[in-house]
Amino acid sequence: MGREARLGKVAGMSIGNEIERRLEIVRARIAAAARHAGRNPSSIRLVLASKTQPSAAIRAASRAGARDFGENYVQEAIAKRAELADLTEIRWHLIGHLQTNKARAAASAFALIHSVDSVRLAEALGRAQPSPRVRALIEVNLGAEASKSGVAPDGVAALVDAVRDKIEIEGLMTIPPPAAGAGTTRPYFARLREMRDRLAVQSGLALSELSMGMTDDFEIAIEEGATIVRVGRAVFGERTA
């Protein structure tokens, strides 16, 4: 093995060790937040937000026991799936906005799509994969932000009713507006939980999933009922792109 190859291997081991260390810390924080809220830590799924991360970082996280990875873009995720095809236990999530023209590719690429926000998109997913139906969450734009996708709160019930026979709706997802402090996101998480609970009664659907909370506020999200937290920076470090 040449000097450059040896240095590359050492660097890879160093990065892998750091990812493993950070992952252990995040898992401990999740467990502590769950216990503080009187919840079972095993009821919370950690999805590692791996947008722009190289396949080597995802492989390192997988070696440390991570199984769920969230991507923002369909084509980037498909490329990584191909590079990491030997990691058969990985579950891929789409956590970014999904364009309708990418629905066919997304339908078979992801274990769960977190960002359905229109009848048109749900219909496209249903046509792409009528059986088994695509597992998905409805994305809710609680902050009424023009720059973000997601259905408005007053349109969620109608959307659920319109698409329930086209996709497998498993719950709701939200990304609160940027805030000066993590504590300001709590009302949004509480509101999503309350909305989910009402919808479950009205629709008769289980709606068991709440995807909410990221690096800066996942503990608050857990206290408010999150079943899925999407964490990237706390495990992978700052993005370089």
Side-chain angles (χ1 to χ4, degrees):
M1 182 182 294
R3 180 175 180 274
E4 289 186 3
R6 287 197 303 272
L7 289 174
K9 184 176 181 180
V10 170
M13 290 173 62
S14 177
I15 292 170
N17 291 342
E18 180 63 13
I19 287 174
E20 181 177 6
R21 184 187 70 82
R22 290 180 173 184
L23 185 57
E24 288 177 358
I25 291 171
V26 168
R27 284 174 174 153
R29 290 172 61 188
I30 288 172
R35 287 192 293 268
H36 182 261
R39 300 178 59 194
N40 186 337
S42 67
S43 68
I44 296 137
R45 183 185 309 180
L46 172 60
V47 173
L48 296 186
S50 49
K51 171 189 172 183
T52 76
Q53 295 298 329
S55 294
I58 295 173
R59 188 176 292 278
S62 174
R63 280 198 301 267
R67 292 294 176 264
D68 293 273
F69 294 86
E71 290 287 328
N72 284 48
Y73 303 112
V74 175
Q75 292 309 122
E76 181 181 347
I78 288 174
K80 288 177 181 176
R81 277 173 54 102
E83 292 173 7
L84 300 167
D86 57 306
L87 302 182
T88 57
E89 294 182 341
I90 279 185
R91 292 178 292 267
W92 295 95
H93 299 243
L94 183 66
I95 58 177
H97 175 63
L98 176 60
Q99 297 175 320
T100 303
N101 62 2
K102 299 287 178 59
R104 180 170 296 279
S108 59
F110 299 99
L112 183 65
I113 294 174
H114 293 227
S115 50
V116 170
D117 61 357
S118 70
V119 173
R120 185 165 172 250
L121 175 56
E123 288 176 340
L125 290 169
R127 288 193 299 271
Q129 187 174 297
S131 180
R133 289 188 294 191
V134 172
R135 297 172 58 232
L137 308 177
I138 302 297
E139 181 178 0
V140 186
N141 188 342
L142 289 177
E145 295 175 272
S147 62
K148 283 183 182 173
S149 55
V151 62
D154 61 3
V156 175
L159 179 59
V160 168
D161 188 57
V163 306
R164 60 184 298 165
D165 62 342
K166 298 172 176 61
I167 57 175
E168 197 70 29
I169 306 171
E170 302 206 344
L172 306 179
M173 182 272 257
T174 198
I175 303 172
T184 61
T185 61
R186 186 183 295 275
Y188 294 96
F189 298 148
R191 188 178 176 192
L192 193 74
R193 184 194 68 244
E194 292 161 1
M195 182 183 296
R196 187 277 310 271
D197 292 347
R198 286 195 305 272
L199 278 170
V201 172
Q202 293 167 4
S203 67
L205 298 172
L207 302 180
S208 59
E209 302 286 8
L210 282 176
S211 175
M212 56 189 195
M214 297 184 285
T215 285
D216 292 331
D217 55 17
F218 68 83
E219 287 147 317
I220 294 171
I222 289 168
E223 291 173 2
E224 293 298 335
T227 63
I228 299 172
V229 293
R230 310 178 304 271
V231 178
R233 183 166 24 91
V235 172
F236 294 119
E238 296 290 344
R239 288 197 187 118
T240 58

